[in-house]
């Protein structure tokens, strides 16, 4: 493999680059990032229970940033999907209320 810092070839088992002294083990760790389970849970939940999905995704996004985990994009998708569902839910409730008010108004005019 090659050193991510200086680009020179080094041993695969090297922990520190013999050319520039940069820690290789840390680069290896960040190269194979772990996916945040919470992000997957939040993403799936966003389709089923939008409020729970939104909360899970927000927590997952925070966790991904703090612990440098994979899944920030997935968490963001979960947040957007949940938020859209909640907004659509509010709109549909408002539409029902407006129809109801209009219908009552129609009945009152009879
Ligand atoms: Zn190097």
């Amino acid at each position: 493999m090659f050193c991510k810092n200086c680009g020179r070839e080094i041993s695969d088992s090297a922990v520190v680059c013999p050319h520039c002294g940069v820690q290789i083990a840390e680069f290896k760790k960040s190269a194979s990032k772990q996916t945040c389970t919470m992000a997957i849970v939040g993403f799936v939940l966003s389709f089923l229970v939008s409020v729970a999905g939104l909360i899970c995704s927000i927590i997952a996004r925070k966790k991904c940033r703090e612990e440098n985990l994979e899944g920030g994009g997935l968490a963001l998708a979960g947040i957007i999907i949940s938020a859209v569902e909640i907004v659509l839910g509010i709109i549909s409730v408002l539409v029902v209320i407006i129809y109801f008010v209009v219908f009552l108004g129609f009945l009152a005019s009879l």
Side-chain angles (χ1 to χ4, degrees):
M1 65 180 222
F2 296 93
C3 171
K4 296 266 165 69
N5 187 52
C6 65
R8 281 194 256 190
E9 194 166 8
I10 48 169
S11 159
D12 281 351
S13 57
V15 177
V16 175
C17 174
H19 306 290
C20 65
V22 152
Q23 271 204 317
I24 304 303
E26 214 172 316
F27 279 121
K28 268 187 189 169
K29 203 177 150 195
S30 63
S32 57
K33 273 195 205 171
Q34 269 195 302
T35 304
C36 179
T37 324
M38 195 78 169
I40 300 164
V41 173
F43 185 72
V44 173
L45 270 178
S46 70
F47 289 100
L48 308 170
V49 191
S50 47
V51 177
L54 183 68
I55 294 165
C56 263
S57 296
I58 289 169
I59 295 168
R61 186 143 174 85
K62 198 166 173 277
K63 205 177 167 213
C64 285
R65 277 192 192 155
E66 281 171 0
E67 294 173 30
N68 196 27
L69 296 169
E70 203 83 67
L74 197 64
L76 184 65
I79 292 170
I80 293 167
I81 292 164
S82 308
V84 167
E85 280 174 356
I86 291 167
V87 168
L88 287 177
I90 291 168
I91 290 169
S92 58
V93 166
L94 282 177
V95 165
V96 168
I97 290 170
I98 289 164
Y99 270 113
F100 192 67
V101 167
V102 168
F103 181 67
L104 281 182
F106 173 73
L107 282 183
S109 71
L110 285 175

